């Protein structure tokens, strides 16, 4: 129960890695503020998480006996982020940990010269600037308490390039840069900032994940055969499970990682070791 007595705020918590991380935190005793857009976005060619899915995540977490708050939040809008953070602080008194998980995988699937400016802006706004807004909203109070942990969910795309994914790669590389810079900003006040870089994560039915399938579509890989295609690219010959990533996040949130900041933890089965 490494997170007992702590409150953790998670963005993009309706499904996928967000749900898996929420469940792992609940199992470790954390009270939770679960945020998601709960709507679709113009320009994103697949359905995003719904309010019903967010509430289902909350219900699963409550089975562990923890308190859970849910809220719709658009990480593209600072006022929306600040309102959600204020709601969580009012309910729980403080926020001890943050998981910046909200993100989109598309629009993607084209070379740089075919990416429209609005598509580029959308990807950066959600996947990079969204994390900045959340850190901005929580870091002052964390610094005043001289305690806190922020975990940014980047990707192997934050460490290497992928063909036809320039916007996503740029955003996730930027998230690594933000992690390192923020870690130095807040190290004097004992607030830690780290990142996890998942590899190809299996679309687990329980978590209702669909990110890998959407990446496959953008790459024009046949959905239904895509898991085998991605598995063949993995040195350990297996896809990453959502729970594998969630376990890494829990470690970084916990006091076990009290001297870990500015670090990038890969959970990729050795993909980026080559």
């Amino acid at each position: 129960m490494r997170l007992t007595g702590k409150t953790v705020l998670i963005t993009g918590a309706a499904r996928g890695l967000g749900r898996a991380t929420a469940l792992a935190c609940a199992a470790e005793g954390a009270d939770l503020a679960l945020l998601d857009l709960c709507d679709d976005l113009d320009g994103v060619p697949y359905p995003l998480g719904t309010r019903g899915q967010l509430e289902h995540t909350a219900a699963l977490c409550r089975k562990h006996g923890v308190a859970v708050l849910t809220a719709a939040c658009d990480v593209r809008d600072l006022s929306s982020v600040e309102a959600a953070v204020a709601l969580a602080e009012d309910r729980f008194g403080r926020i001890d940990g943050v998981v910046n998980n909200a993100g989109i995988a598309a629009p993607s699937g084209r070379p740089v010269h075919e990416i429209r400016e609005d598509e580029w802006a959308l990807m950066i706004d959600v996947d990079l600037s969204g994390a900045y807004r959340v850190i901005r909203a929580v870091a002052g109070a964390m610094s005043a308490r001289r305690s806190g942990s922020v975990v940014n969910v980047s990707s192997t795309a934050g460490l290497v390039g992928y063909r036809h994914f320039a916007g996503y790669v740029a955003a996730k590389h930027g998230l690594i840069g933000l992690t390192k810079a923020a870690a130095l900003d807040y190290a004097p006040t004992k607030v830690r900032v780290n990142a996890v870089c998942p590899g190809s994560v299996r679309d687990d039915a329980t978590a209702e994940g669909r990110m890998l399938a959407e990446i496959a579509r953008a790459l024009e890989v046949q959905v239904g055969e895509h898991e085998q295609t991605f598995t063949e690219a993995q040195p350990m010959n297996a896809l990453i499970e959502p729970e594998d990533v969630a376990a890494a996040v829990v470690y970084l949130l916990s006091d076990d990682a009290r001297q870990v900041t500015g670090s990038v933890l890969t959970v990729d089965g050795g993909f980026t070791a080559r």
Side-chain angles (χ1 to χ4, degrees):
M1 303 295 286
R2 288 174 290 173
L3 302 181
T4 298
K6 297 182 185 293
T7 297
V8 177
L9 180 147
I10 303 172
T11 67
R15 67 186 187 198
L17 283 181
R19 178 178 292 174
T21 300
L23 284 168
C25 289
E28 292 283 351
D31 292 328
L32 298 167
L34 303 181
L35 313 182
D36 206 284
L37 179 61
C38 301
D39 201 358
D40 291 338
L41 274 179
D42 289 340
V44 177
Y46 59 90
L48 299 181
T50 67
R51 185 75 197 211
Q53 289 175 314
L54 181 63
E55 295 302 336
H56 183 54
T57 300
L60 292 173
C61 292
R62 289 188 182 106
K63 291 180 179 180
H64 290 279
V66 302
V68 183
L69 165 75
T70 62
C73 177
D74 186 348
V75 297
R76 300 172 301 161
D77 179 6
L78 180 60
S79 63
S80 178
V81 171
E82 289 176 336
V85 167
L87 191 66
E89 289 175 335
D90 183 63
R91 169 72 181 276
F92 297 112
R94 68 184 198 178
I95 297 171
D96 301 287
V98 166
V99 183
N100 279 313
N101 172 70
I104 56 176
S108 295
R110 299 191 302 279
V112 172
H113 72 278
E114 294 182 9
I115 301 173
R116 298 195 312 268
E117 192 165 345
D118 63 301
E119 293 174 323
W120 178 271
L122 177 61
M123 183 66 71
I124 300 300
D125 204 14
V126 175
D127 286 18
L128 175 56
S129 299
Y132 144 74
R133 293 184 187 99
V134 175
I135 294 172
R136 172 175 165 162
V138 302
M142 284 183 171
S143 293
R145 290 195 312 272
R146 299 183 64 80
S147 176
S149 175
V150 175
V151 181
N152 296 321
V153 179
S154 183
S155 165
T156 53
L159 301 171
V160 300
Y162 287 94
R163 183 171 176 262
H164 289 177
F165 269 77
Y168 187 75
V169 167
K172 293 300 188 178
H173 269 71
L175 196 51
I176 297 298
L178 173 62
T179 297
K180 291 178 178 293
L184 295 177
D185 284 350
Y186 300 112
T189 58
K190 309 302 182 184
V191 176
R192 300 180 294 106
V193 186
N194 294 287
V196 293
C197 288
S200 296
V201 179
R202 188 173 66 85
D203 290 335
D204 176 71
T206 301
E208 297 186 83
R210 61 181 302 160
M211 185 70 78
L212 195 63
E214 297 305 332
I215 291 172
R217 287 190 181 92
L219 292 173
E220 298 184 349
V221 175
Q222 183 66 40
V223 175
E225 301 174 2
H226 67 291
E227 287 197 357
Q228 181 60 35
T229 299
F230 285 115
T231 299
E232 290 171 357
Q234 296 297 114
M236 294 186 73
N237 197 38
L239 295 177
I240 309 303
E241 297 296 330
E243 292 78 13
D244 298 330
V245 183
V249 173
V250 166
Y251 162 70
L252 292 172
L253 290 171
S254 76
D255 292 339
D256 288 348
R258 61 187 175 275
Q259 291 293 336
V260 181
T261 195
S263 293
V264 179
L265 178 55
T266 56
V267 187
D268 68 352
F271 182 83
T272 55
R274 295 175 297 185

